[in-house]
């Protein structure tokens, strides 16, 4: 069985925790897109793990994790992360594999990334880690894949710094490299009779095709990327879980219709940012904060075939007297109940909101949905009604045990 987990907003939705929770029942975890610009924080058995390239399931000793074909991999960042995992007591040797079709992030990519963004009149706000440039060179057909490490003619096209990095890590990378399509269809591995979790990076609203272009990532962070990035066919994807927060955040530039206005919402942005620890795992940058945007969430559900939603950070709202959600966009010309492609329209859009009473009680120790305060249940049920998708998992805290499961993606209800 193959379960896909994607972010259903602009990233930072708490995918790390949900992937960690589901990974305990998985045999193989495949990260199908993204690079070291993505960050997952996992709290497990009292330890905090901050991962950027390695799939979250690595903390389970019986799982195998795979960096998929849709990823762009910085060797320096990868081995630094693996060394840190080993320092924390996680044995990874033989359990971390890399698709031979994955691309490398090279020193020249990082330099070009910083230079390009600085030249833009309206900077995108990249992390400067060379991710977008690596994807651009992939599209230009002059990137370097893991399969190309011994292709002398191809490597000679690159400068001395790029070749030096490849030479430094060549043997270590080669020892971890697999043909992902063959691996996933071999008995005992991947799709052949075992449980596979396919983990996305960032969020669907940052997808190169479906997101708020050009303020997007350069890879496929939508459910469609799970197939091409894992060596599976689309019909082999059994279930899609979309992870979203009880409010919305965004890092970097780009339209954000439901963003809080400090002049009208006072300290609400600061309260949510501090309570929800809304700072980038990779960059440390404070995240922009807004009301839960149901227009955008519904769009994500529709364009990704999401079967079930996983709601995180519900406990962050515990102390609020009132909770508001965005149910439409008011524009200069009309009121929209759909998510438009036009950046100027999104930038000028103003949120139409609906108000809900807060529950004013801590929910972090509640174990079942029926035991949540009525106001919290009503909030979740309205979300389901609006987007037309069941909320199968509700997270009420950072710890793994603080997870309410209404529908198990691995279970018979799928």
């Amino acid at each position: 069985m193959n379960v896909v987990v994607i972010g259903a907003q602009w990233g930072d939705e708490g995918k790390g925790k949900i992937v960690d929770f589901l990974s305990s029942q998985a045999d193989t975890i495949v990260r199908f897109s993204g690079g070291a610009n993505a960050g997952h924080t996992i709290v497990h058995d009292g330890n905090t793990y901050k991962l950027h390239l390695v799939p979250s399931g690595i903390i389970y000793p019986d799982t195998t994790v795979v960096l998929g074909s849709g990823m762009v991999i910085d060797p320096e960042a990868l081995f630094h992360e693996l060394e840190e995992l080993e320092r924390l007591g996680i044995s990874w040797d033989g359990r971390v594999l890399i698709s031979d079709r994955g691309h490398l992030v090279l020193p020249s990519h990082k330099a070009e990334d910083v230079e390009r963004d600085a030249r833009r009149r309206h900077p995108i706000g990249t992390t400067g880690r060379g991710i977008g440039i690596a994807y651009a060179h992939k599209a230009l057909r002059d990137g370097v894949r893991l399969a190309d490490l011994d292709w002398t003619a191809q490597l000679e096209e690159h400068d001395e710094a790029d070749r030096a990095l490849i030479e430094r890590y060549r043997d270590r990378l080669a020892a971890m490299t697999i043909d992902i399509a063959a691996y996933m269809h071999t008995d005992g591995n991947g799709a052949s009779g075992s449980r596979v979790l396919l983990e996305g990076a960032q969020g669907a609203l940052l997808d190169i095709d479906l997101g708020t272009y050009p303020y997007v990532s350069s890879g496929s962070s939508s459910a469609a990327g799970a197939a091409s990035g894992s060596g599976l066919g689309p019909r082999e994807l059994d279930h899609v879980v979309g992870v979203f927060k009880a409010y919305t955040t965004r890092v970097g530039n780009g339209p954000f219709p439901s963003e809080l206005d400090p002049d009208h919402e006072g300290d609400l942005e600061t309260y949510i940012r501090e309570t929800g620890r809304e700072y980038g795992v990779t960059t440390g940058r404070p995240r922009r904060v807004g009301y839960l945007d149901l227009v955008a969430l519904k769009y994500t559900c529709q364009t990704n075939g999401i079967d079930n939603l996983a709601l995180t950070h519900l406990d962050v709202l515990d102390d609020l007297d009132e909770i508001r959600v965005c149910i439409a966009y008011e524009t200069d010309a009309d009121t929209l109940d759909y998510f438009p492609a036009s950046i100027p329209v999104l930038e000028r859009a103003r949120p139409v909101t609906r108000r809900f009473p807060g529950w004013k009680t801590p929910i972090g120790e509640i174990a079942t949905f029926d035991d949540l305060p009525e106001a919290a249940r009503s909030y979740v049920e309205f979300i389901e009604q609006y987007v037309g998708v069941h909320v199968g998992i509700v997270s009420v805290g950072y710890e793994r045990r603080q997870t309410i499961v209404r529908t198990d993606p691995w279970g018979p209800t799928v």
Side-chain angles (χ1 to χ4, degrees), residues 59 114 126 180 238 301 314 398:
I59 66 174
V114 174
T126 76
I180 194 170
D238 298 304
C301 290
L314 186 62
Y398 286 94

Side-chain angles (χ1 to χ4, degrees), residues 137-249:
H137 283 276
K138 175 181 178 178
L140 289 168
R141 292 164 290 182
D142 59 10
V144 176
R145 305 172 302 163
L146 275 292
D148 303 329
L149 293 178
D150 293 318
W151 189 3
T152 303
Q154 170 75 337
L155 299 184
E156 286 176 348
E157 298 290 328
H158 296 268
D159 65 26
E160 184 177 348
D162 290 351
R163 294 198 304 273
L165 178 126
I166 292 167
E167 189 60 36
R168 185 158 67 250
Y169 291 104
R170 180 197 310 273
D171 292 342
R172 296 174 74 183
L173 289 169
M176 301 162 68
T177 300
I178 60 167
D179 182 313
I180 194 170
Y183 178 83
M184 295 295 283
H185 292 91
T186 300
D187 288 345
N189 296 325
S192 297
S194 60
R195 287 182 167 184
V196 181
L197 192 66
L198 300 128
E199 173 185 356
Q202 285 99 24
L205 294 176
L206 293 174
D207 181 82
I208 187 70
D209 294 309
L210 298 176
T212 49
Y213 185 90
Y215 301 100
V216 292
S217 185
S218 298
S220 177
S221 51
S222 65
S228 60
S230 66
L232 296 173
R235 292 183 180 179
E236 294 177 283
L237 306 180
D238 298 304
H239 195 80
V240 180
V241 177
V243 185
F244 75 107
K245 281 188 289 209
Y247 47 93
T248 308
T249 63

Side-chain angles (χ1 to χ4, degrees), residues 95-127:
R95 296 198 299 120
V96 179
L97 307 176
I98 310 174
S99 169
D100 57 3
R101 288 174 170 81
H103 278 243
L104 295 180
V105 176
L106 302 172
S108 61
H109 297 155
K110 297 179 183 179
E112 186 177 345
D113 193 2
V114 174
E115 180 186 345
R116 271 181 175 270
D117 212 43
R119 290 203 313 262
R120 286 188 172 100
R121 180 176 296 179
H122 303 290
I124 291 173
T126 76
T127 60

